[in-house]
Amino acid sequence: MDLAPLATINVADDRTGMPEPEERRNIVIIGGGIIGCTTAYYLTRHPRFDPSLHTITLLEATNIACGASGKAGGLLASWAYPTNICGLSFDLHGQLAEEHNGVEQWGYRRVRCGQLTATASDKAPRPVYWNNSSILLGKWRRGDWSTPKPSVLPDDLDWFSAEAAKAYEEIADTSSTAQVHPLQFTKAMARLASEKGTNIVLGMVTDINCTITNENASTEGGDDTPAAPRPLSSFADPFQRVVSVTYTDKASGEMKTIPSDTIVLAAGPWTPTLLPGVPISSLRAHSVTIRPRRPVSAYCLFTEITLPDTSPPPNKPLDQTTPEAKKTKSAPKTRTLSPELYARPNNEVYICGRGDVDCPLPLTADLVEVSTAACAELVTAAAAISDELRDGMVSGRRACYLPTMDVGGSGGPLIGNTDVEGLVLAAGHSCWGILNAPATGKAVSELILDGEVRCADLGSLDPRKIL
């Protein structure tokens, strides 16, 4: 890897602490998910980007899109959150698709979005439940579901049982809602960035190294020798500046260090392992994909599906002759699940459920544990209300971790400079990471190469407000 040596930073922008854009720059992006890849893409497309002056290295611990970016649903909505970037990002998705043939390259298309209330049909298979402490992902800010609005299903939403569907309400039409295939989209952004000069390296980052910039700071040995770089461990010292990144090469296992004056930390739920004090939590989410027996119409649906609960009460005897059992039997038990169902253009339906915190975040994305029971529950819910899905083939079962600012809520993300000079944070996007990646990447590219963000007002997302 041929990296240019670090240039001396002469003058920093008073507003951002970032070096002037005309200088030689070694930019390192940590994280090969959608945020890191779109950041690399927009840096290489920025008018000020000069390959003779600027090096861009993207470091990924496992593989591109190995985490949530390769396992998400891919819903895009201008009505999502945060409002200061979601509309811009929705429009940028359309521009990217038009410029790079996103329809073919990553399944971009406009879709309708609705809310479906349903009850299992008589033909539904015996329910399979996952006894976990589930948490809402916070994607759809629901209204009062206790009194669903009765409505006939749209004519083209014909892949659900008319008997099972009890109510339907449209949330948004194609003017404000679209979708992509996240794995394909993330890999395309990485490829396009690589074609313009981004160096993609597979290796696990162990340290972000800093020096002290204060002229009055103590030196090593009491002489004029500057203190040696040290791993970032806190924000306690206000005069830190990034100088390099240390990582373990995936192929060789060798420890290596890359000099860098600008580091973009976009490591999703793994961000706190490198930046202590960042209030990002990890929320595990499961999903399955089903190939139906025929192509289905383009809808993304939020659902409430009521199923019969056939599981015995916990710690209760199975003796059905007791008075208590007879009384319980007279009132059938039900259970409600809330999966999201997204029809994709490749004759595939993506289904995801609530999140959980049952398993701690593993060291890397390829070590995520998948619960068979959680996936079976999603298949059960879909099969209970759709003949096409019941008779289809399950083509994938997966789990990933979402980076949430507050578990089950909708806070974040954090985008911008930190109190460490040269360190930019872009993480905490929760369930809207795929949507908001283009706006995040564009904003970070402007911050680095222009010295300020011009495409959006990110004041409410400034990391320095909470770190």
Side-chain angles (χ1 to χ4, degrees), residues 70-72 285-289 348 350 370 375 395-400:
K71 301 175 176 66
H286 285 84
S287 63
V288 300
T289 46
E348 182 178 77
Y350 173 93
V370 179
C375 293
S395 56
R397 300 174 177 86
R398 61 194 67 80
C400 61

Side-chain angles (χ1 to χ4, degrees), residues 7 40 51 71 77 95 177 198 266 283 286 292 294 334 380 397 407 435 441:
K71 301 175 176 66
Q95 295 172 20
T177 315
T198 297
L283 181 67
H286 285 84
R294 64 174 177 85
T334 61
T380 292
R397 300 174 177 86
V407 174
L435 163 67

Side-chain angles (χ1 to χ4, degrees), residues 68 267-273 280-283 361 401-404 427-428:
W270 286 273
T271 297
T273 64
I280 292 177
S281 302
S282 55
L283 181 67
L361 182 72
Y401 283 82
L402 304 179
T404 61

Side-chain angles (χ1 to χ4, degrees), residues 45-56:
R45 265 68 180 179
H46 193 284
R48 289 182 182 269
F49 176 66
D50 183 348
S52 68
L53 292 175
H54 307 139
T55 65
I56 301 174

Side-chain angles (χ1 to χ4, degrees), residues 66-79:
C66 190
S69 297
K71 301 175 176 66
L75 177 63
L76 312 176
S78 63
W79 40 266

Side-chain angles (χ1 to χ4, degrees), residues 110-388:
R110 295 299 182 107
V111 296
R112 295 170 68 183
C113 183
Q115 170 183 310
L116 174 65
T117 305
T119 301
S121 66
D122 294 337
K123 295 183 291 183
R126 179 184 177 87
V128 177
Y129 293 120
W130 179 35
N131 294 317
N132 78 312
S133 53
S134 62
I135 300 169
L136 283 172
L137 300 184
K139 185 172 292 181
W140 170 236
R141 296 177 176 176
R142 309 173 187 212
D144 182 9
W145 281 53
S146 60
T147 55
K149 298 180 180 179
S151 175
V152 176
L153 290 175
D155 291 339
D156 59 341
L157 189 53
D158 57 357
W159 41 289
F160 289 97
S161 165
E163 175 190 358
K166 302 304 178 184
Y168 176 83
E169 181 179 0
E170 184 163 84
I171 295 173
D173 60 20
T174 57
S175 66
S176 60
T177 315
Q179 69 178 161
V180 297
H181 191 295
L183 177 63
Q184 296 171 357
F185 178 57
T186 305
K187 288 189 172 182
M189 291 294 101
R191 173 179 54 80
L192 291 166
S194 178
E195 290 173 355
K196 291 293 185 178
T198 297
N199 185 26
I200 298 177
V201 177
L202 297 184
M204 183 175 177
V205 175
T206 57
D207 294 302
I208 295 172
N209 304 308
C210 300
T211 59
I212 303 301
T213 60
N214 184 9
E215 293 181 357
N216 298 320
S218 61
T219 58
E220 285 189 348
D223 54 23
D224 294 332
T225 304
R230 61 188 183 187
L232 173 66
S233 60
S234 73
F235 290 100
D237 195 321
F239 301 106
Q240 297 181 96
R241 173 171 67 88
V242 300
V243 293
S244 63
V245 173
T246 300
Y247 71 98
T248 302
D249 186 78
K250 182 181 178 181
S252 67
E254 181 182 353
M255 190 79 73
K256 299 182 179 181
T257 297
I258 302 177
S260 177
D261 53 75
T262 306
I263 296 173
V264 180
L265 182 52
W270 286 273
T271 297
T273 64
L274 293 170
L275 192 61
V278 176
I280 292 177
S281 302
S282 55
L283 181 67
R284 186 175 65 160
H286 285 84
S287 63
V288 300
T289 46
I290 297 177
R291 293 195 178 278
R293 59 186 182 180
R294 64 174 177 85
V296 296
S297 51
Y299 279 85
C300 290
L301 302 171
F302 297 93
T303 72
E304 289 283 349
I305 302 174
T306 301
L307 301 170
D309 190 349
T310 58
S311 59
N315 303 320
K316 295 288 184 178
L318 296 177
D319 184 358
Q320 297 299 311
T321 63
T322 63
E324 182 181 357
K326 291 179 179 179
K327 182 178 180 182
T328 303
K329 191 174 181 180
S330 63
K333 296 181 297 179
T334 61
R335 182 172 178 177
T336 300
L337 303 178
S338 305
E340 299 171 20
L341 290 81
Y342 305 161
R344 288 175 169 171
N346 61 341
N347 192 32
E348 182 178 77
V349 176
Y350 173 93
I351 307 167
C352 67
R354 296 189 177 201
D356 72 88
V357 292
D358 293 352
C359 295
L361 182 72
L363 184 63
T364 54
D366 55 342
L367 299 177
V368 173
E369 180 180 339
V370 179
S371 167
T372 302
C375 293
E377 184 177 74
L378 295 173
V379 174
T380 292
I385 61 173
S386 170
D387 292 345
E388 279 71 17

